[in-house]
Amino acid sequence: MRMAGRSLPEYLKVREGVPMLTACATPDLIVEITLQPVRRYGVDAAIFFSDIVVPLKAIGVDLDIKPGVGPVIADPIRDAAGIEALRPLEPGDMPYVTEAIEALTGELGATPLIGFTGAPFTLGAYLIEGGPSRNHDRTKAMMYGDPKLWHALMDRLSTIVLEHLRIQVRAGASAVQLFDSWVGAVAPDDYREFVLPHTRRIFDGLADLDVPRIHFGVGTGELLSLFGEAGADVVGVDWRVPLDEAARRVGPGKALQGNLDPALLLAPWEVVERKAREVLRRGEAAEGHVFNLGHGVLPSTDPDQLKRLTDLVHEA
């Protein structure tokens, strides 16, 4: 899962005094932070260090990531003029991404690098709300109240997201992950109408690159069958649905990723081990299983717990 290193003292040291968006646009920092969990834990892949709003910043959206709050948008998008201002992403907009990935693939050798981006619904929710939202009131108001405007925004964002992923693959990423943090707020029928066509377009637009495509969301247990239809090769599952049930919902032809609750890592090791073995056992129901957490590492996690977990999974 992304942000694998944020509980590490070495991560805190290199990030000290460096704003998040500055770190995400500094190749040397991107490389160092991406490599830290690989060095410490010996995990089987690296996750590109970035943030979902990086492509929006790259095309000129006035935004900032405020500590303890998250992304904050200076001028929220509420009309067609705001959508028109979202220009397409071009490779020259983020040379730091290409430079960092080229450096990383050299450093990583045989260890794969997973590229990363945010999905249109979650990016759209930030743009419409102006920041994080508990209920996504304005987002749903546009989705239900002005479907034409909504689809125009999703279409514009899908173009940006797809290019962001293609930039990463062209630079050397071995796989890509589409991360939809907020789409669990949407009911299945609404997902099918308002979100699925755009998600499918992104995954279809990557098919010619022949890299594994991962699709992850939070609180998306009721959407797993639709995630199975969206076109990814791997469906990420948070901790709310056991993997054997998730495999049934997603359907054949997909691998699963997940799904240990990140908060479990704050419990005694015996509890972590028991729960991790249960995840592995239930994951046998899937056609493939990438063992992972069900969401990002909590900053208060003891790095030694993560090392023991990685070793346990490798031994198993």
Side-chain angles (χ1 to χ4, degrees), residues 1 4 7-8 36-45 260 265 269 272-273 276-277 280 291-293 297 301-316:
M1 191 55 65
S7 68
L8 296 181
Q36 285 176 350
V38 182
R39 287 195 207 111
R40 187 182 272 249
Y41 303 131
V43 287
D44 301 310
L260 191 75
L265 290 160
W269 169 249
V272 177
E273 180 177 10
R277 290 189 185 278
L280 288 167
F291 183 92
N292 212 325
L293 302 183
V297 175
T301 305
D302 179 357
D304 290 341
Q305 286 278 63
L306 284 165
K307 180 70 173 97
R308 291 181 79 175
L309 177 62
T310 308
D311 291 344
L312 170 71
V313 175
H314 281 152
E315 289 160 13

Side-chain angles (χ1 to χ4, degrees), residues 72-284:
V72 176
I73 312 295
D75 299 304
I77 290 178
R78 309 273 165 79
D79 54 26
I83 295 172
E84 283 298 315
L86 294 173
R87 66 170 178 82
L89 180 70
E90 298 171 3
D93 292 326
M94 36 176 53
Y96 43 86
V97 169
T98 301
E99 184 181 332
I101 290 176
E102 289 173 349
L104 278 164
T105 51
E107 294 260 2
L108 287 165
T111 302
L113 175 67
I114 302 174
F116 159 80
T117 197
F121 179 88
T122 293
L123 293 178
Y126 279 123
L127 287 170
I128 296 166
E129 304 288 346
S133 168
R134 183 183 294 269
N135 299 313
H136 309 289
D137 320 40
R138 292 179 179 274
T139 303
K140 290 185 175 183
M142 182 188 292
M143 189 174 79
Y144 294 131
D146 197 338
K148 184 177 178 182
L149 191 65
W150 171 263
H151 284 295
L153 176 60
M154 291 296 100
D155 185 62
R156 189 67 60 105
L157 290 171
S158 297
T159 300
I160 292 165
V161 166
L162 176 56
E163 180 58 20
H164 187 209
L165 291 173
R166 291 186 69 89
I167 287 169
Q168 293 175 72
V169 174
R170 287 195 296 262
S174 306
V176 289
Q177 176 162 260
L178 185 69
F179 205 90
D180 215 346
S181 310
W182 302 125
V183 79
V186 175
D189 285 350
D190 294 329
Y191 183 90
R192 182 177 293 284
E193 179 179 353
F194 294 112
V195 184
L196 181 60
H198 306 285
T199 313
R200 186 179 277 141
R201 180 187 152 209
I202 292 166
F203 287 126
D204 287 349
L206 297 165
D208 63 307
L209 298 178
D210 195 30
V211 295
R213 298 157 296 176
I214 307 165
H215 188 16
F216 176 77
V218 185
T220 49
E222 297 301 322
L223 304 178
L224 286 174
S225 65
L226 291 160
F227 271 38
E229 293 179 31
D233 307 290
V234 183
V235 174
V237 185
D238 73 9
W239 64 93
R240 294 169 175 88
V241 179
L243 288 181
D244 46 356
E245 171 60 17
R248 188 190 68 77
R249 295 185 190 185
V250 170
K254 310 289 181 183
L256 299 183
Q257 171 183 280
N259 74 336
L260 191 75
D261 186 341
L264 267 167
L265 290 160
L266 307 180
W269 169 249
E270 306 75 56
V271 179
V272 177
E273 180 177 10
R274 175 167 50 85
K275 290 287 194 178
R277 290 189 185 278
E278 184 180 330
V279 169
L280 288 167
R281 179 179 61 79
R282 290 179 180 272
E284 291 173 4

